[in-house]
Amino acid sequence: MANIISREIRLASRPKGFPRAADFTLASVELKPLQDQEVLVRNLFMSVDPYMRGRMNEGRSYVPPFELGKPLDGSAIGEVVESRAGEFKLGDVVISRFGWREYFIASPKELQLVSREVQPLSVYLGVLGMTGMTAWVGLNLVEVKDGDVIFISGAAGAVGSAAGQLAKLRGCRVIGSAGSAEKVKFLREECGYDVAFNYKAAPLREQLKAAAPDGIDVYFDNVGGEALEAALSALRLHGRIIACGGISVYNEEKPRPGPSNLFNMITRRLTMKGMLVSDWLDRKGEFEKEVGGYFRTGKLKNRETVVEGIDNAVAAFLGLFLGQNIGKMVVKLG
């Protein structure tokens, strides 16, 4: 096979505050000929996720930062176009960490085979992928159970929409906040939220109080900031907080002061637990069996916002922080 020319997105500079298009560059590379025990993959879909913003900063964190001048990476689903490894054959569909590029060469251990029968294939980046597992882990982290009242911020996003549906399947009363009337409608009509409101329409704390006048048992935090403060006021005695993300503060250059009502943690004997989905990979089989079953039987929906072409991958990523996605944001390649 002739050598492949692949386009990839590289980090050109470390963003200060909200990222700019100029912080990224689109480059073309010629892939080397395939060697023994190597697989050539053409990406079909790639994921863009809010956590990637933190990897654009310099400094130590729970995951290594992106390197300047090097391609970004992230979850992707692709198709094998050539293989010199016995584990994979032409046409196999695989998940990898080689997102942000059109083609790549990998060793078999860097790829995971998945079924082509599951459609759309991009669902492996959504509710059947790390997104769905993040939601599932969060609920297990604080033992969300039948009868709990749970409030989810960023509820129309990838993790939030999955978490709300899974909580409903557990018998919870589910409340969500989102940033537009369209998203509120999506939460109510497609995700089955009992109550959903637009946090931009009125003070968030007041809307949460109206939605749960007797308080909440669990807060699934995807946002931080004002939403966390509102939840701290609404949580009942022995309430639990799932600290999953804080998208409202990812682009701030200076740390924001903490919640003014943090003392409620003491007076109400609250529990707040942070989570990384990577700590739960030993339970991935359990997740796939439970959540995969819900998806196959139609009990769990996978809503996507699809952007076409690697040329638009940066715009898709920036759109996450502008509220441009409903459900999972994915980039279709090829």
Side-chain angles (χ1 to χ4, degrees), residues 165-188:
Q165 293 181 77
L166 292 175
K168 281 297 296 180
L169 288 166
R170 293 191 181 201
C172 299
R173 182 170 187 266
V174 183
I175 301 166
S177 62
S180 71
E182 181 186 11
K183 292 179 179 180
V184 167
K185 182 179 179 181
F186 160 66
L187 293 175
R188 291 173 175 166

Side-chain angles (χ1 to χ4, degrees), residues 100-313:
W100 295 91
R101 67 203 81 192
E102 294 176 312
Y103 290 84
F104 65 90
I105 293 172
S107 65
K109 67 180 181 180
E110 296 173 301
L111 306 173
Q112 178 190 346
L113 182 68
V114 294
S115 173
R116 186 182 283 275
E117 294 180 3
V118 174
Q119 293 291 330
L121 290 174
S122 51
V123 75
Y124 288 115
L125 304 177
V127 296
L128 297 188
M130 286 300 103
T131 295
M133 190 169 178
T134 298
W136 180 82
V137 166
L139 299 181
N140 284 325
L141 184 72
V142 301
E143 300 177 348
V144 172
K145 61 187 184 301
D146 182 17
D148 279 340
V149 178
I150 182 170
F151 168 50
I152 302 173
S153 59
V159 173
S161 57
Q165 293 181 77
L166 292 175
K168 281 297 296 180
L169 288 166
R170 293 191 181 201
C172 299
R173 182 170 187 266
V174 183
I175 301 166
S177 62
S180 71
E182 181 186 11
K183 292 179 179 180
V184 167
K185 182 179 179 181
F186 160 66
L187 293 175
R188 291 173 175 166
E189 297 182 1
E190 294 187 41
C191 296
Y193 272 65
D194 296 284
V195 182
F197 57 83
N198 181 351
Y199 69 86
K200 298 177 181 178
L204 197 156
R205 188 180 298 196
E206 293 178 9
Q207 294 194 78
L208 181 56
K209 177 67 175 176
D214 296 323
I216 61 175
D217 301 293
V218 180
Y219 171 48
F220 197 121
D221 191 14
N222 294 304
V223 173
E226 182 186 359
L228 174 57
E229 188 163 299
L232 283 166
S233 290
L235 280 158
R236 297 193 273 229
L237 195 66
H238 301 300
R240 296 103 75 199
I241 300 171
I242 303 158
C244 180
I247 194 171
S248 71
V249 299
Y250 287 167
N251 293 309
E252 294 188 351
E253 295 185 62
K254 294 182 179 180
R256 183 185 299 184
S260 63
N261 55 351
L262 195 59
F263 196 68
N264 285 1
M265 292 287 298
I266 299 170
T267 59
R268 300 183 188 179
R269 281 84 90 196
L270 306 178
T271 299
M272 184 175 189
K273 290 187 176 182
M275 57 157 289
L276 293 178
V277 69
S278 57
D279 293 339
W280 291 64
L281 295 182
D282 61 327
R283 294 181 63 180
K284 190 174 181 183
E286 183 183 342
F287 156 75
E288 290 173 343
K289 181 179 180 180
E290 179 183 342
V291 177
Y294 292 145
F295 180 75
R296 287 190 296 272
T297 56
K299 295 179 180 179
L300 181 66
K301 298 178 175 63
N302 182 64
R303 178 69 175 267
E304 298 175 334
T305 299
V306 181
V307 174
E308 298 268 352
I310 198 164
D311 321 64
N312 295 312

